Structure formats: C-alpha cells, structure tokens
Amino acid sequence: MCSDKTVLATLQNPFAEATDMEFSVPGQVATTPGLYEQTLKAGYELQQKPRQAAGVKAIERQHQKQRMTIWERIAVLTDEEPTILYQNWGPNLDGASLVTAIIKVNGRDVALYGHDFTVRAGSMDATNGKKLARLFELAAKRRIPLVGLNDSAGAYIPAGVGGLDGYADAFTALRKISGVVPSIMCMFGFNAGGGSYLPRQGSFLIQPNDTFFGLTGPGVVKSVLGEDVTPDELGGPKVHSQSGVNDFVVPDEVAALKKVRELLNYLPSYNGELAPHQRSSDPVTRKTWDIDILLKKAFNSPTGFNTPIDISIMIQQLCDHGDFLEIQPDRARNTVTALGRMGGNVIGFVANNSAVASGQIDIGAAYKNARFIRFCNLYNIPVIFLEDTTGFLPGREQEEGGIVQAGRAMLDSIVDLRTPRFLVLVRNAFGGAYASYNNYPTGADFVVALPTTRLAVMGPAGVEYVYKDELRAIRGAVKSRVAEAEQQQLDAGLSKAEAAANAKALVEDWVKVQEQELAVRYERELMNPNEALSLGSISQIVMPSELRQVLTENMEFHLRHYQPEPMAGTQREFH
C-alpha cells in the first residue's frame, strides 16, 4: 500500500541485527564470558559513547539543517583517525557536548576541540570549561596549533553558574596561550554569548555563509530594543567581515575546513620557530615583467601618476607561483594583508591598494594592518610593506571615529616589529604616512624604491609651500598684466568690454602655465627618490622586473641570521 507522505532519508537500517562485541585473546581456548569480559564490555561502551550518544534522530536533524556532525567535520579535517581526549561523561551528560582531540593535519599534530550540537545543543557547563582549559594548556606545553570547531547554543542553563564558570575557565586558558601557539576557529551553526567570545580569542576566525554568531540573538534584540532583525543582519558573515570580527568568509562547512588546512600551511606550530619552509620550483631569479606591464599601462595613461593600480597584482608576481592567501579580504580594501611565500619562505605582506580610495589609510585599514603585523611579530613571520598612499584619510568622520588612535595602533605595531622587515616604495609616499610606514627610522631592515617613487613631505599641494615666493610673484603680477593686456586689446580696436574679457582670459592662461611649470619643477626636484637615496633613507633603486629577485635574496640573508624565539622585553601599554 502506497503512502502519500514524503519518505525522508534515514540513517536507520531496518534490516540491521544487533551484535554483541566479543572480547577474546587470539589462540585462547574458548571459555564462558565472566566478570572480566563484562568489565571490558562496559569499558568499550564508554569508549564508543562520544560517537553514539547523539542517536540517529539528532544526527538526522543536524543533516536537515545542512550541517555536519562533529565527527564528520573531524573526518574532513584530519589525515587519520583522531586521538580523543578527556572522554568524561557524567550522570547529567556533564562534558558530553564537547569533543577534544589530537589530530593530524598535513602531517602535523594539531589540538582540536569541537562542540557536538547533537548533544545538548553543544552547550557549555563547568566540566566542558575544564576540558577546554586542559586542552589549551596541552597545546601550549607540546607546542602545537589549536583548531576550534564552534557550534554551540552557549552556556547550559540547567547547569546554573557552572556554565558561566566553564566559559570563564576556557576564556582564561585561551588568553594565556595567545601568542604561544596559533589558533584557528571555525563558526558553524548558530552561536551566541560565550560561544562568540571564545572563538574570537583565536588568531583567525572562519565563518561560512548561513551561520550566525553574536553576543545576543535576534530574539533578545527584539525583546530589549523592539527591533526586528534577521540573524544574517545581526551576526552573519557580511556583518563580521566588514568589522574585522571574522577573517574569512567561505561558502560552506567543507570550504571552512579546507581553509583551515590551507592556513595551517603558512603558520608555525608555536612562537619559537619559523613558519614551515616549502621548496619551490619557481626560480628566485624569475623576472617580474608583469609588474613592468602594470606600471607602464597605468602611468602612460592619460591620468599618469594619478592612475590607480591593484597592488595585489604585484604581490602575486612576487610570490612563488603567484600563490598567496589574503587575510580579511572583504574589509578595508584600501589595504591588503596577505601571507605568501618567496623562495619557499613564508612572508607577510602589508600593502596600500590605490585601486580603492587612493590607498589612503583610514581607521579600518589602520586596525587591519596593526592586527596582522602583531600576529607576524608574535610568530616570527617576516613582513614586506608595499607603500603607495597619499596619506591618512582626512575629514571629520575619521577624526570623530578616532583615526589618531587607529593610526597610532598601526605605528606602534610597526615600531614593535622584530622580524625581518622590508619596505618597497612603489609610487606615492607622502608625509605622515611615509613617516609611520616601516622606514629605516622606524626599524626597517631593507628599503628599496622603484623608479616610479614619489617621496615627499607633501604631494602636489606642496608646491604652495616650497615655491611660495614664486607663486606670490606670479599672482602679484596679475593685476598689472591684466591692465597691460587690456590696453593692448584696446589699441587693436576692440571694445572696452571685449578687451577686458580677452585680457582676463590671457592672464589666467599665463598663470596656469606658470603654476604648471612649478608643479613639474616640484616633481622633478622633490617628488622623486633622489633626495631619499642621497640621505640613505633608501638602500637602492630597483627595476620593476628585478623586484622579486632583489627582495627574495635579501630576505634569505636576513632569515639565515634571524633567531626565531618567543617575544621578550617590555610589554607596552597599548596593544
């Protein structure tokens, strides 16, 4: 008999027969099972409990929401079977909703935790907090990276203050290993409260589409503020990618787990070693002709040296096989932060992107740069700065938002940077933006300039200050020149009105020519790398096609003599 009801896929096998696990020693004479075998059976059931506690219905519900279970996520991420740690499951499912393990990723040991949403919605109690704290301490002690797979409804309400204590234990332990081992957090499902705080303590945060995390959910916002807001509008990937709360937005859970594997390739295991070297078949001596082509097409265009260029093209040309990983690619596009390799060595890139807002440094760009630079500083990653900016973004909105504070955060991170660090002057480097952007006075190890560099205290507006006497003379002569030109027009037989109009136009044209000549003189005399080169502010001029070779060879020298180690010395007041 047929049913009108839709049949859903099920994990239950109606033909499955229950089988008991036998406990025997190979070659042993068969005996009747006794107390010993019963004990082994009870132990085996405890071993299997983490994988079986959810039950078929809870797993099906997870799949219907287009989400994997924690065990499926681990299977995608790891190279081999995980080693499960701390399998504590109390009478009230204490600790049950959190899995902790040691896994292998790309051959490296990695500490992992993951919420099991199929058990008590992945919620946190005091036992969970202790499990997490113990795992974090183990990661730091054994110097291995940490990965978190977050999918939690927050604190377990029936646990009372125990749930809050659990989060407090986890917060404290994770903060203590920050800067000791790198951590990567994935946000799956719907996370709120402490379930948002904890993962954002990590080094990097990956958020798939159709997920939410925030301090409060839409329901709380509705009840407290009376606002109707969707989860995506409140704490979706687009919101967090613009604020810098997340670092990567990916399509789905599998993409998030693949991003974890990709990112780990660029990271050291702990703060006392360099990031893993990877041999490359891309020659160090490869000519970067595409940089030549990019600059030629841009600067020979009608807009000349004011033509925007996409700096990511230069980063691509510098990196081995053009491969690099951009960090926070959706935020503050006027700056680019990325990890790549040159000659097999992992390099951090911080670059002004004139293709967006002339590459000017605003609040978002300054904080984006500062955070990335500090990460590289902690984990012994050298940094190459590519400068092409007309300066910090001016305006009331920026000042009210604290551009001074943001700019200082970026400058402090640069001054504190201890790893090998280079500066490439690509084009514009004006005023305070140059003074705070990794030059020799702020501690750079190597500074080079392309022939296209325009380095000055001010941009074209500097003409008004450098040639103020000449400009004063030109503008002071306008009145007499107009009178003289008007008389000449009258002598030629024009009416008084026509003579006045023609005279004014002729003198205005003369002023424009004179001012343009001064602008050209300013660029020729001051807006170039000549003075900086003569003062030693620049090491050398590099041809665009030779940039990869010059930077890679010099970086290899500095890394040979760099001793990777944890940060030491005075901890400054601001971070």
Side-chain angles (χ1 to χ4, degrees):
M1 183 175 179
C2 295
S3 172
D4 294 334
K5 294 183 178 179
T6 303
V7 178
L8 296 175
T10 176
L11 296 177
Q12 292 178 310
N13 181 1
F15 303 105
E17 296 181 3
T19 57
D20 289 333
M21 185 71 180
E22 294 185 5
F23 299 95
S24 60
V25 178
Q28 181 189 29
V29 177
T31 59
T32 302
L35 181 61
Y36 177 69
E37 284 77 13
Q38 292 174 12
T39 305
L40 292 185
K41 181 179 180 182
Y44 176 77
E45 288 174 352
L46 282 175
Q47 278 186 331
Q48 299 304 308
K49 196 168 186 179
R51 296 177 184 269
Q52 298 175 352
V56 171
K57 289 184 178 180
I59 294 173
E60 287 179 343
R61 281 197 299 268
Q62 188 79 343
H63 288 170
Q64 286 167 3
K65 290 184 285 190
Q66 304 301 312
R67 301 179 196 167
M68 290 187 282
T69 67
I70 179 59
W71 302 105
E72 291 165 341
R73 290 165 183 163
I74 292 174
V76 172
L77 184 58
T78 188
D79 300 339
E80 54 192 49
E81 276 294 304
T83 300
I84 306 301
L85 305 175
Y86 320 131
Q87 301 176 36
N88 50 315
W89 295 62
N92 298 312
L93 293 180
D94 304 328
S97 53
L98 191 80
V99 176
T100 50
I102 301 297
I103 65 173
K104 288 275 190 183
V105 179
N106 300 324
R108 296 167 67 186
D109 288 321
V110 173
L112 175 138
Y113 77 85
H115 297 278
D116 187 348
F117 198 85
T118 63
V119 178
R120 215 178 55 194
S123 56
M124 177 77 79
D125 60 24
T127 308
N128 281 340
K130 291 183 176 64
K131 285 175 68 172
L132 279 176
R134 198 176 301 166
L135 179 73
F136 299 159
E137 291 161 4
L138 176 67
K141 187 176 183 180
R142 296 302 169 218
R143 300 172 174 179
I144 59 174
L146 171 72
V147 171
L149 308 181
N150 297 275
D151 189 358
S152 172
Y156 184 48
I157 296 175
V161 73
L164 303 179
D165 283 343
Y167 268 122
D169 278 333
F171 293 156
T172 304
L174 186 53
R175 176 60 182 173
K176 288 181 178 179
I177 72 167
S178 176
V180 179
V181 295
S183 52
I184 305 172
M185 302 295 177
C186 293
M187 302 304 295
F188 299 131
F190 191 101
N191 299 264
S196 299
Y197 267 137
L198 182 68
R200 187 51 279 179
Q201 284 182 276
S203 309
F204 298 99
L205 193 148
I206 303 167
Q207 184 178 9
N209 289 330
D210 302 317
T211 60
F212 167 89
F213 71 96
L215 296 187
T216 57
V220 175
V221 173
K222 173 68 174 177
S223 63
V224 175
L225 301 177
E227 293 182 16
D228 286 314
V229 61
T230 67
D232 193 55
E233 293 169 338
L234 185 63
K238 290 183 180 179
V239 173
H240 291 316
S241 66
Q242 293 303 311
S243 65
V245 172
N246 70 34
D247 298 289
F248 302 97
V249 175
V250 294
D252 51 39
E253 293 191 6
V254 173
L257 297 168
K258 287 183 177 180
K259 184 66 72 175
V260 171
R261 296 179 65 92
E262 180 186 7
L263 185 53
L264 281 170
N265 281 333
Y266 290 102
L267 305 183
S269 293
Y270 76 109
N271 63 1
E273 67 179 16
L274 292 173
H277 183 275
Q278 186 173 296
R279 294 186 63 182
S280 174
S281 58
D282 192 357
V284 169
T285 56
R286 170 172 57 81
K287 297 290 186 181
T288 47
W289 293 117
D290 281 2
I291 297 179
D292 248 322
I293 295 170
L294 171 68
L295 300 182
K296 180 179 181 179
K297 286 184 174 293
F299 300 150
N300 285 348
S301 69
T303 48
F305 272 77
N306 295 319
T307 306
I309 58 173
D310 185 349
I311 202 69
S312 62
I313 297 174
M314 291 189 65
I315 297 174
Q316 180 190 53
Q317 283 296 297
L318 294 174
C319 289
D320 295 345
H321 299 292
D323 189 25
F324 66 93
L325 176 63
E326 189 172 348
I327 311 298
Q328 293 191 349
D330 301 319
R331 180 193 186 197
R333 292 294 304 155
N334 43 324
T335 194
V336 174
T337 53
L339 292 168
R341 279 187 170 86
M342 294 174 61
N345 295 311
V346 173
I347 308 292
F349 292 91
V350 177
N352 306 125
N353 184 22
S354 66
V356 178
S358 300
Q360 289 184 312
I361 303 170
D362 59 10
I363 294 170
Y367 281 130
K368 176 180 173 179
N369 288 344
R371 179 173 161 194
F372 178 75
I373 294 165
R374 289 199 177 280
F375 176 84
C376 292
N377 198 21
L378 287 169
Y379 293 103
N380 302 291
I381 297 174
V383 183
I384 293 178
F385 293 77
L386 301 172
E387 183 164 7
D388 182 17
T389 180
T390 56
F392 287 91
L393 180 63
R396 176 178 174 180
E397 182 181 346
Q398 289 292 303
E399 296 295 348
E400 289 178 345
I403 184 65
V404 173
Q405 179 79 352
R408 183 208 52 76
M410 184 185 77
L411 172 58
D412 287 352
S413 69
I414 293 171
V415 172
D416 291 344
L417 187 56
R418 66 199 170 103
T419 63
R421 48 192 175 115
F422 294 179
L423 172 63
V424 179
L425 297 168
V426 177
R427 176 175 44 176
N428 296 327
F430 300 150
Y434 165 76
S436 62
Y437 207 73
N438 190 48
N439 45 43
Y440 277 130
T442 54
D445 295 300
F446 188 53
V447 179
V448 299
L450 298 183
T452 51
T453 293
R454 303 200 300 176
L455 177 59
V457 175
M458 291 186 68
V463 172
E464 295 286 340
Y465 299 90
V466 176
Y467 303 118
K468 60 182 178 181
D469 292 337
E470 289 89 339
L471 287 169
R472 187 182 297 116
I474 292 169
R475 291 160 186 169
V478 168
K479 187 175 181 179
S480 61
R481 280 184 167 269
V482 168
E484 182 182 345
E486 186 175 350
Q487 186 58 50
Q488 290 174 351
Q489 298 294 311
L490 289 171
D491 294 343
L494 274 69
S495 67
K496 186 170 181 61
E498 291 174 329
N502 286 354
K504 184 179 179 182
L506 288 170
V507 173
E508 284 177 351
D509 290 342
W510 173 81
V511 170
K512 288 179 182 178
V513 170
Q514 299 302 308
E515 289 179 344
Q516 181 61 34
E517 288 178 356
L518 287 178
V520 172
R521 180 181 166 189
Y522 180 70
E523 292 209 18
R524 184 178 66 250
E525 294 180 355
L526 293 175
M527 285 181 61
N528 56 59
N530 298 356
E531 183 183 12
L533 189 64
S534 66
L535 292 174
S537 301
I538 296 171
S539 296
Q540 63 186 82
I541 303 295
V542 179
M543 292 294 115
S545 61
E546 298 171 352
L547 191 57
R548 170 177 160 84
Q549 180 176 356
V550 169
L551 294 178
T552 305
E553 289 177 349
N554 277 276
M555 185 60 76
E556 287 177 347
F557 163 76
H558 283 276
L559 286 175
R560 282 199 303 271
H561 299 279
Y562 173 75
Q563 180 62 47
E565 58 188 4
M567 285 187 67
T570 304
Q571 295 299 305
R572 306 299 175 189
E573 294 180 16
F574 295 101
H575 295 73

